[in-house]
């Protein structure tokens, strides 16, 4: 599933609600991990306790790949926002997507992203 919406919109609350369903890896590319955690804690909706990691800065595709490789079976992956990852070398981004697909299939995970 791909959810594309403006940051700080109602869709962000939806992403936060997704964290309640099962273990979640929440990768942020534009905000600090603490900013995401603070946003989750401020919501009035039911949320889980996601593993939030900031993959922005240097080598975000490499950081994201390493973290995605740790996804437990049946986990949810949220990438907020994916646009910043798409800006890197097209071949590297394509490899990232292929590796992501392999991990998702092997773990039975679901995925959501904004951007």
């Amino acid at each position: 599933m791909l959810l594309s919406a403006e940051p700080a919109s109602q869709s962000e609350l939806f992403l936060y609600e997704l964290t309640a369903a099962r273990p979640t890896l929440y990768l942020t590319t534009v905000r600090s991990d603490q900013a995401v955690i603070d946003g989750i804690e401020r919501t009035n909706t039911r949320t889980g306790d996601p593993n939030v990691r900031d993959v922005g800065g240097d080598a975000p595709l490499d950081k994201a790949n390493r973290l995605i490789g740790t996804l437990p079976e049946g986990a949810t992956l949220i990438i907020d926002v994916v646009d910043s990852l798409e800006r890197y070398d097209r071949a590297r981004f394509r490899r990232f997507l292929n590796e992501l697909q392999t991990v998702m299939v092997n773990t039975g995970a679901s995925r959501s992203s904004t951007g």
Side-chain angles (χ1 to χ4, degrees), residues 15-93:
L15 289 180
Y16 294 165
E17 289 177 1
L18 286 175
T19 68
R22 54 193 185 173
T24 302
L25 174 60
Y26 193 118
L27 303 181
T28 176
T29 62
V30 294
R31 297 185 291 164
S32 71
D33 47 2
Q34 191 58 54
V36 173
I37 292 167
D38 291 346
I40 291 170
E41 290 175 351
R42 281 192 306 269
T43 66
N44 294 330
T45 61
R46 189 172 142 248
T47 63
D49 186 23
N51 180 2
V52 180
R53 294 291 180 257
D54 179 357
V55 296
D58 295 334
L61 290 172
D62 295 336
K63 290 179 192 174
N65 269 336
R66 280 192 301 275
L67 290 165
I68 289 167
T70 68
L71 273 177
E73 190 167 324
T76 298
L77 171 64
I78 297 173
I79 302 176
D80 182 16
V81 298
V82 75
D83 290 3
S84 59
L85 298 178
E86 292 174 340
R87 292 185 190 117
Y88 287 87
D89 175 71
R90 189 179 194 112
R92 288 193 69 216
F93 184 67

